[in-house]
Amino acid sequence: MKPADRARLAVVAVALVAPLAWLGPAAAQLPAPGVPGLLDELELAAGGPVRAEIIPETGLVEFLSFGPGRSVPMPPAKSAPAAERALAFVDRYGRAFGIAHRAQLALVRASVPDEVGMEHVRFRQTWGGVPVTGGELTVHLSGSNVVAVNGKTLAGLDHLATVPTVTPLAAVIAVDRVLERRLGVTGATFTEPRLELFNRGLLEGRKGWTRLAWFVEARAVDLREYFWVDAESGAVLLHFSQLTDALDRQIYDADDPGDGLYDDLPGVLVRSEGEAPTGAGDADDAYDYSGDTYDYFFDEHGRDSYDGMGATLVSTVHFCPSAGECPFVNAFWNGVQMVYGDGFPAADDVDAHELTHAVTEFSANLFYYMQSGALNESYSDIFGETVDLTNAGGTDTPAVRWQMGEDVPGIGAIRDMEDPTLFGDPGKMSDPEFVCQDPGGDAGGVHSNSGVPNHAYALMVDGGSYNGETVTGIGLTKAGKIQYRALTAYLGSASDFLDNYNALNQACQDLVGTAGITAADCVEVDDALRAVEMDDPWPCAPAQAAAPDLCSAGQAPELLYADDLESSPLTPCPSAILPSAWCLNQPTSFLGTFATSGSQSFWGYNRPTAGSMLVTVDPSLASLPAGARLQFNHSYGFENTGTSLWDGGVVEYSTDGGGSWSDGGSLITAGQGYAAGTVSTCCSNPLGGRSAFARDSWGYTASQLDLSTLTGLPFRFRFLVGTDFSIDEYGWFVDDPRIYTCAACVTDRILDSTYNGLAEEYKATGSVTAGGGFTVGPMESVKLQAGTVVTLESDTAIWGDLEIALGPCS
C-alpha cells in the first residue's frame, strides 16, 4: 500500500475504536492563539517562571501567579487608584484572559489594603455594556505590582447582538409559567429583569452557546429561584435554587400569628440586641450562636457582620412553609435573613453555617449550582464547624469533632468532615459517592460533593495520612485564615474545584509571615488538597457505552448502505441563530466539527421550546436481506434533572415508504440503548411518556439495531428530537450510519485477472512480495478493491496468481 493510504486507514481506525469525547476530563489544555507569547512576556517581567492554568474549552488563562516573592511591575504609581493600576495590567496582558480592552470590564469593587498590604480589584466582564453571567476577573496588587490574577471569562462575543427582541414582561411570564408547571409555585414576586450574556457551559465546566438573556429572580417565603430567559426566543435557558440550606441581632418568631400558618417572615420580634434572654430555647440559641459567628468573623478576620459593614443579623425561628409542613426540618439563608425550623438553632454549627452563606453572598457570591454550589456549601460547613470548635457552646467531644448538626434535636449529625463517606458523601474526587448527575438533583450534588473540600479542611487542621499523602496539621487558626482569604479574595461566582485549589495555595503564600503561617505550612495545605484530589479534573464525564463490534468474531460486514455524511445534502447549520431543524455541523461559535469520520455530522438541537425535530434517512433498500443490522455513531446531551427526563431523542423506522413509523428502541441489541425511565409528560414534549435516548452520552458511542424481524421489507429510518417548553442542552450528533449483514471471513484469497472480491481491508500474517517491488509486510494492511485493479506503490497492474495468506478480518 502507499504510505498515504496506510495513514488514512489508521485515522479511520482510531475514529471507530476510540471515538471523540464530549469535553471529557482528559481534554488537552492548549492555550489560545497569542497566549503563549503573552506568558513569555510575563515571565520576563516577573523575572522567573509563571504558573498559568488554562481553561481547556477556551484556551484562555483562568489563574496566573508568579511564585513566592515575585510579581509584575506596572507603570501607574502606587498612589494611583487600585482600579487604575489593575487596568494597566489588563491593557497589556488582558488578551490572555480573553479581554481585549478595558472597556470590556466593569468595576465591581476594589478593596482597601488588607493585613499583608495587598489590594484586590474585582471586575465583571461585559460586552456592549451587558454583563456576562459568571464572567469575572480579579487582579491582586501589592502597590504597583501585580501578584496574581484569576477569573472566568468568555471569548467570541463580538458576533452577539445586545438588543433584545423579547420584552421584560414576556420574560417574567415565561418564568411564572415554569414556576407553576415545574415547581407548583404561584404568587411569587420577581425582580426587575436585567440583560446578561448567558453561557450555561461557564457554570458547568464545558462548552456552551452564549446568548442574550433576561435574568429574573423569583421570590416567595421559602423560594429564591434564579432564571435566565432567552431574550430572542423567550425560552427559559436555565433555572436553579439559590436558597442556601447575621453585632446587631434581631430574633423573630414565625409562630402562628392568628391565621394558622407559620410562614410569615420575619414574624414577631421577640428579642433584640442587648435584651435579656426570652427563656424560649430556639430564640435564645439563635441569638447566642449568631453572636458567636459574628464574633468569630470579626475577631479572626476583621469582618463586621456578613456584609462587612455591620448589617443587622436577622433570624426567624419556628418557621414552616405551611401548616401542613410542620415541623420544618431545615434551615436556610434566603438572601436577607436566616430562617430555622423547630430545633435547628440549637446546633451552633448550623447557625454559623447559615450565616456563612451570607458572608459568601457578599464576597465570592458563589452560584448554588454544580461545582460553585458545592464550594458554597463547603465553606459554610468549614466556618460552621470552626465556630463550633472555638466557641463555648455545642457538643465538642472527639467523637463529633468534625460532624455537622450533631446538636439538632431528634436528627443529629448529617455530615462528617473528617470522613465524609460515613454519611454517603465523597472524601476525594474519585470516590464512588461523588455525584455526577447532569446537573441532576440537588443542583448537581452541592450537598454531597462538598465532602471533598470539607475533608481537605479537616486534614489541614488536624493532619493525617490519606490517599497516599501524609499531612501535618496546621491548626484551626492558620487554616481558617487561609480559607477565609481564598473565599473573599480569590473566588468568584462561577469558581470550580480547580479554582479553589489555586485560591487556597495562593492565599497561603500571601499570608506567609502572618498569624505564624510559614512556607512549610503551605506545603501541608497543598498536600491536603492533593490528598482529596482537588486539582484533578471534575470526574463527571463517565465513560460512554462502548461502541459494539459490527459483527461477531470470524465475521466481516457486507455493507448494504453507508454514509459518512461528507457529501450530505442536509443544510449546513446557521452561524448566528438557533436552528429549528436538523442541520449539518454545529456552528463554530458553539462546537463546530464533531464527527467520528471526516468533518461532518448531523446535529439536532435540544431546543428550549416545545416540539419535535426529525431527519429522515432513505437508504433505498426495497427489501432487507436476512440478518440485516443498522448501526450508527452518536453523541448527545438532553435536558434532565435527577430522575426527570425533560427532553430526549428516538430512532424510528418505516417499512411502508414513510406512511407510518415505529419506534426502533426495542430493536437495539448492542451498544447504547434508551435511558432508564420515560420522558416527562409534564411540559408539552411530544415524546412525553416514551422511552428515549436521554441524559448525556458523555461523548460518541454507537447503537446497533437488529433488523432480522423486518426481512423482505423496504426500509428507511429517522432520528427525532422531542423537547418541552424550557431549558436547552447541546442536543444530538449522529454520524456514519450503516446497514449491513455479517458474513464469514475470507482467510485466503488468490488475486488474479478475474478477481472480483469484496472491497475490504485485510492484514497479511507474513511478508508477501510480488513483482514490481510490491510488498505486504507482516500484519500490514492491504485493500482489496471490488471489480477493479489493485493499487500498488507506483504502478497499477493486475497481478496473476498472487496468493496472500490473510489473518482475521479487520
Side-chain angles (χ1 to χ4, degrees):
M1 298 182 66
K2 294 180 180 179
D5 291 336
R6 279 199 291 266
R8 180 185 63 80
L9 290 169
V11 171
V12 172
V14 169
L16 292 175
V17 243
L20 296 171
W22 168 254
L23 300 177
Q29 294 194 2
L30 299 177
V35 170
L38 291 170
L39 295 179
D40 288 342
E41 289 184 36
L42 283 164
E43 185 171 309
L44 290 173
V50 301
R51 181 186 174 203
E53 291 283 358
I54 305 297
I55 304 173
E57 292 79 18
T58 65
L60 299 176
V61 177
E62 66 176 345
F63 191 91
L64 184 71
S65 62
F66 309 104
R70 290 190 288 106
S71 57
V72 172
M74 298 308 300
K78 183 178 179 180
S79 59
E84 186 60 33
R85 283 176 271 144
L87 286 170
F89 177 89
V90 172
D91 290 340
R92 186 161 183 176
Y93 303 110
R95 286 176 293 117
F97 295 85
I99 305 298
H101 193 276
R102 63 170 60 193
Q104 294 173 247
L105 297 175
L107 179 64
V108 175
R109 63 176 176 270
S111 73
V112 298
D114 60 22
E115 67 268 39
V116 297
M118 288 179 61
E119 298 165 277
H120 312 276
V121 184
R122 177 165 296 188
F123 300 99
R124 190 171 190 186
Q125 186 185 11
T126 65
W127 180 260
V130 179
V132 173
T133 306
E136 296 170 343
L137 187 75
T138 304
V139 182
H140 308 274
L141 300 159
S142 179
S144 294
N145 291 3
V146 174
V147 175
V149 185
N150 65 284
K152 291 280 193 201
T153 56
L154 288 178
L157 302 179
D158 52 323
H159 69 285
L160 290 173
T162 55
V163 178
T165 56
V166 170
T167 66
L169 177 60
V172 170
I173 292 172
V175 168
D176 195 41
R177 179 173 62 167
V178 171
L179 282 174
E180 181 178 1
R181 298 183 68 175
R182 284 277 182 88
L183 303 180
V185 173
T186 58
T189 60
F190 306 100
T191 59
E192 182 177 348
R194 67 170 184 262
L195 285 174
E196 295 185 358
L197 292 173
F198 176 74
N199 187 309
R200 180 171 170 177
L202 191 66
L203 307 185
E204 297 182 353
R206 60 177 179 174
K207 282 192 177 182
W209 203 340
T210 304
R211 265 106 67 155
L212 184 67
W214 290 107
F215 171 76
V216 180
E217 181 179 341
R219 287 180 171 271
V221 171
D222 59 340
L223 176 81
R224 190 184 184 196
E225 196 82 4
Y226 283 5
F227 284 86
W228 285 268
V229 180
D230 195 303
E232 295 180 351
S233 68
V236 175
L237 300 173
L238 180 68
H239 68 95
F240 57 80
S241 174
Q242 191 67 14
L243 196 69
T244 51
D245 271 19
L247 187 57
D248 184 4
R249 287 165 287 181
Q250 293 179 345
I251 309 302
Y252 292 81
D253 196 326
D255 212 354
D256 183 2
D259 59 2
L261 300 177
Y262 303 83
D263 60 353
D264 283 353
L265 292 180
V268 178
L269 182 64
V270 295
R271 188 179 178 186
S272 295
E273 185 63 34
E275 293 182 348
T278 65
D282 277 6
D284 291 336
D285 286 341
Y287 182 93
D288 292 340
Y289 294 145
S290 63
D292 289 345
T293 307
Y294 174 92
D295 290 343
Y296 169 78
F297 280 107
F298 186 82
D299 295 343
E300 288 292 316
H301 310 297
R303 190 179 192 89
D304 185 2
S305 192
Y306 58 82
D307 63 350
M309 301 175 66
T312 300
L313 310 183
V314 177
S315 302
T316 297
V317 299
H318 300 304
F319 171 81
C320 293
S322 67
E325 297 177 79
C326 288
F328 178 62
V329 188
N330 211 339
F332 57 87
W333 164 260
N334 71 355
V336 178
Q337 65 164 97
M338 293 183 294
V339 183
Y340 300 98
D342 287 356
F344 274 78
D348 52 353
D349 49 9
V350 171
D351 297 63
H353 174 106
E354 298 309 329
L355 186 49
T356 302
H357 279 308
V359 173
T360 297
E361 181 164 341
F362 281 84
S363 55
N365 195 26
L366 291 158
F367 285 125
Y368 207 58
Y369 179 72
M370 303 293 281
Q371 296 186 55
S372 59
L375 291 175
N376 192 323
E377 192 63 19
S378 175
Y379 273 97
S380 280
D381 279 357
I382 285 168
F383 289 116
E385 196 58 29
T386 300
V387 170
D388 183 14
L389 294 174
T390 55
N391 70 351
T395 303
D396 298 320
T397 63
V400 297
R401 173 173 170 78
W402 289 107
Q403 292 193 350
M404 285 295 303
E406 69 274 6
D407 291 322
V408 177
I411 298 176
I414 57 173
R415 286 189 288 276
D416 190 299
M417 299 175 69
E418 186 176 37
D419 185 1
T421 61
L422 291 177
F423 290 88
D425 302 324
K428 61 181 185 296
M429 295 274 271
S430 60
D431 275 350
E433 293 86 355
F434 205 92
V435 174
C436 280
Q437 294 159 325
D438 179 38
D442 191 30
V446 300
H447 287 93
S448 181
N449 295 339
S450 57
V452 173
N454 282 358
H455 190 196
Y457 184 64
L459 286 169
M460 283 182 209
V461 175
D462 288 351
S465 294
Y466 178 74
N467 197 23
E469 298 282 352
T470 298
V471 182
T472 300
I474 64 174
L476 281 167
T477 298
K478 294 179 182 180
K481 286 185 175 296
I482 294 166
Q483 294 277 349
Y484 177 80
R485 186 175 183 83
L487 173 66
T488 58
Y490 286 99
L491 296 184
S493 58
S495 291
D496 57 26
F497 276 28
L498 182 58
D499 294 322
N500 195 49
Y501 171 82
N502 290 320
L504 287 165
N505 275 306
Q506 186 65 43
C508 189
Q509 294 293 336
D510 293 348
L511 293 173
V512 169
T514 68
I517 295 172
T518 66
D521 291 329
C522 295
V523 173
E524 303 306 327
V525 168
D526 189 64
D527 286 346
L529 296 172
R530 289 182 182 276
V532 303
E533 304 163 354
M534 184 82 71
D535 58 331
D536 282 2
W538 185 250
C540 285
Q544 63 268 29
D549 293 331
L550 293 174
C551 297
S552 302
Q555 293 183 320
E558 295 189 4
L559 294 176
L560 305 171
Y561 163 84
D563 190 355
D564 60 9
L565 305 184
E566 297 306 298
S567 57
S568 171
L570 205 62
T571 301
C573 295
S575 60
I577 61 173
L578 306 180
S580 57
W582 283 76
C583 51
L584 201 65
N585 279 8
Q586 204 176 56
T588 54
S589 59
F590 186 65
L591 186 62
T593 300
F594 192 51
T596 53
S597 68
S599 62
Q600 296 194 162
S601 61
F602 289 152
W603 177 52
Y605 173 41
N606 181 173
R607 297 184 299 163
T609 52
S612 59
M613 294 167 47
L614 57 86
V615 57
T616 301
V617 180
D618 186 357
S620 300
L621 295 176
S623 177
L624 280 175
R629 301 180 186 182
L630 164 66
Q631 183 159 317
F632 53 90
N633 300 328
H634 58 136
S635 177
Y636 56 82
F638 293 111
E639 185 211 352
N640 69 96
T641 49
T643 59
S644 296
L645 309 181
W646 303 114
D647 299 331
V650 296
V651 57
E652 297 182 326
Y653 66 90
S654 175
T655 56
D656 61 3
S660 60
W661 294 88
S662 301
D663 195 300
S666 62
L667 302 182
I668 299 174
T669 55
Q672 182 66 58
Y674 286 172
T678 59
V679 176
S680 173
T681 58
C682 128
C683 307
S684 305
N685 190 322
L687 291 181
R690 289 178 60 176
S691 297
F693 295 115
R695 296 190 178 90
D696 202 313
S697 67
W698 297 107
Y700 260 105
T701 180
S703 296
Q704 185 179 111
L705 282 67
D706 183 349
L707 308 181
S708 58
T709 59
L710 309 178
T711 300
L713 298 174
F715 183 78
R716 65 175 60 183
F717 58 101
R718 70 184 187 184
F719 302 100
L720 184 150
V721 172
T723 55
D724 66 10
F725 60 71
S726 69
I727 317 297
D728 74 338
E729 251 287 4
Y730 82 79
W732 198 3
F733 294 90
V734 177
D735 198 10
D736 295 314
R738 286 158 289 186
I739 301 175
Y740 60 95
T741 58
C742 291
C745 291
V746 177
T747 56
D748 292 287
R749 177 73 69 185
I750 301 294
L751 297 183
D752 56 27
S753 58
T754 61
Y755 173 68
N756 191 28
L758 297 173
E760 295 296 339
E761 179 188 345
Y762 300 96
K763 289 181 179 178
T765 58
S767 180
V768 178
T769 303
F774 174 47
T775 300
V776 180
M779 298 308 294
E780 284 192 334
S781 298
V782 61
K783 185 79 171 180
L784 305 184
Q785 301 181 13
T788 63
V789 296
V790 179
T791 302
L792 306 177
E793 290 285 352
S794 59
D795 303 310
T796 299
I798 300 175
W799 295 92
D801 298 326
L802 172 60
E803 183 173 346
I804 301 178
L806 298 165
C809 306
S810 62

